[in-house]
Each structure stands twice: as C-alpha cells, then as structure tokens.
Amino acid sequence: MPAPIHATVLAAGLGRRLGSRAKAALEIDGVSLLERLVAALRATGVDRVDVVVGGPHQAVLTALAARCDTGVIAHRLAAPDLIDSQRLALARHAAEAPGADLMLTVADLPWLTAADLSGLVVTWHQRPPGTEAMRPVVAGTVGHPLLLAAPLTARLAATGAGVREGLAMLGTRPQSWLCAARGPVDDLDTPEHLARLRQALAPAWVDWPPGASERAADQFPIDELQQNRSFLQAEPQSLI
C-alpha cells in the first residue's frame, strides 16, 4: 500500500505586494483561496491538511484554518519568510507523521484544482523505485505542490535548511510531472496578477473580508472562471 499523504499549506506570507493582505483569505464569491485549496486537497484523497500561519495575519489565518477544519502550525517569528515556513513544516511533519509522505504547497493558487492534484498524486503513486521527490512542471515552469517521500522529508528536516538548499545538500533532484493545466503555476502575488485575474472572471465578486489586512481592503469585482485562461502568466514563488 502506498504511504498516506499529508499536505502542508504555507500561508504565512506577508502579502506586501498586495497591500499587506493575507492572500489566503482572499474570497471568490465568499469562499477563500484557502478553503478552495483545502477542498481540492481533500477531494484528491490527502489524509491530513495543516496550515502554516504567522506574522501580522496570524489571527486571521488561524480563524480561517479553523473554518477549514485543518491543523495549524504557528510561527513564533514576527515576519517569517518562505524558507522559515518550509523549515517549520518539515520539522513538524518529521516529528509528528514520520510514516507519511509530505505535499508542500503555497496558498495563493486560485486556479489549482482537484484534477490537477489528482494527476500529480496518481503519477506519484506510480513513480519509479528510488524517486523521492516530484513537482509539476508547466511549459518549463516549476509549479506547486512539491511531493516528498517520508524518508526524504526526515532527512531534509535534519539539515535545518529550506527545501531548495536541503535538496541540494542531499543531492536530490525532484522528478518532473509534466502538466498541461496552468493551475500549478498561476499564483496571486502582485496587483498586476490580480488585474489579470479580474479579466478572467465575471460576474463573481472577490474581496478580502474585514480584518484580513492591517489596512482596509479594497473590493474587486471579478468575473467567473472562463475556459480560456492562457493569458494568466503569473510566475510562482517556487519552493525549490
């Protein structure tokens, strides 16, 4: 039997380029990006979902994680960066779920679907012997999530490094899963990305709920997902 898969969503980013907003709390017709992602993960058969929270948005994200019925991994750092979140996620997983494989992903992926995740998981379960890491690659761009076998997760945690540095230290190169859909690589990082997102949707409504940022959030009317999303070319912040 394949090892169970536990997912950890890295949601502790400061969201500075989007007005210091909690990106995972952005809502599309009242459903946050985090809720959409957690639902897709569970539809794929992921056994457990945890969310890394921290920084100025910790209270908002902790409440949102409770609404999603996920575990919470909280930073003690005031302004954690992505590598800090990776270290925390690796250490927690190695300590609490040493027999499970780990799926690591960022939270701001509005187009990532259960179908995308299912394709990755099926390929992961059919991987050649000795393959310990896998990530989607779309038209040459590395995307999310990153899948790590349980033994590799423990070794990475022991390095005390982030994912990219730890994999380099261990001499491990993830296998690429070639994906045609843009979901694994279209993230939400800048006002320009949000503007392109707005062009793809109607007549849905997107906004940050009250309290999701330190300043009042603007509201953005956006369209519902159209079939053609090829113009959405946001570059993700890769885990590796």
Side-chain angles (χ1 to χ4, degrees):
M1 293 293 293
I5 297 175
H6 291 189
T8 299
V9 180
L10 308 178
L14 301 180
R16 286 195 181 103
R17 288 188 284 177
L18 277 172
S20 296
R21 295 178 170 99
K23 292 190 288 184
L26 178 73
E27 294 181 347
I28 300 176
D29 272 350
V31 182
S32 70
L33 295 189
L34 183 60
E35 289 172 289
R36 292 159 64 93
L37 178 56
V38 169
L41 289 166
R42 287 181 171 145
T44 307
V46 169
D47 289 73
R48 170 175 174 153
V49 182
D50 291 313
V51 182
V52 177
V53 304
H57 308 306
Q58 182 164 331
V60 168
L61 293 171
T62 299
L64 185 55
R67 199 161 85 196
C68 297
D69 195 24
T70 70
V72 172
I73 305 173
H75 273 289
R76 295 182 179 178
L77 302 174
D81 62 19
L82 183 61
I83 292 177
D84 294 323
S85 292
Q86 292 173 7
R87 292 191 188 106
L88 188 57
L90 291 169
R92 180 66 65 89
H93 184 85
E96 296 189 358
D101 297 339
L102 175 61
M103 179 185 288
L104 273 179
T105 187
V106 294
D108 57 328
L109 296 167
W111 307 113
L112 189 65
T113 67
D116 300 331
L117 294 168
S118 293
L120 176 61
V121 169
V122 168
T123 306
W124 175 250
H125 287 323
Q126 298 173 349
R127 68 192 186 277
T131 301
E132 290 193 293
M134 184 177 293
R135 76 275 176 96
V137 176
V138 180
T141 298
V142 175
H144 307 97
L146 171 68
L147 267 165
L148 301 169
L152 176 60
T153 303
R155 298 199 304 274
L156 282 170
T159 68
V163 173
R164 185 193 302 269
E165 295 80 4
L167 289 174
M169 291 167 62
L170 297 173
T172 300
R173 183 177 178 83
Q175 179 175 318
S176 296
W177 172 62
L178 301 182
C179 178
R182 297 292 305 181
V185 296
D186 282 331
D187 68 350
L188 184 68
D189 200 36
T190 69
E192 290 75 23
H193 296 166
L194 184 56
R196 289 197 291 267
L197 183 66
R198 292 176 64 193
Q199 295 174 35
L201 303 173
W205 185 260
V206 133
D207 65 17
W208 278 269
S213 66
E214 293 182 312
R215 69 177 86 171
D218 294 329
Q219 293 184 330
F220 297 88
I222 63 173
D223 302 347
E224 203 160 289
L225 177 61
Q226 295 177 354
Q227 294 299 316
N228 183 3
R229 304 178 310 198
S230 61
F231 60 86
L232 293 171
Q233 301 294 325
E235 286 295 330
Q237 187 175 15
S238 177
L239 293 172
I240 57 175

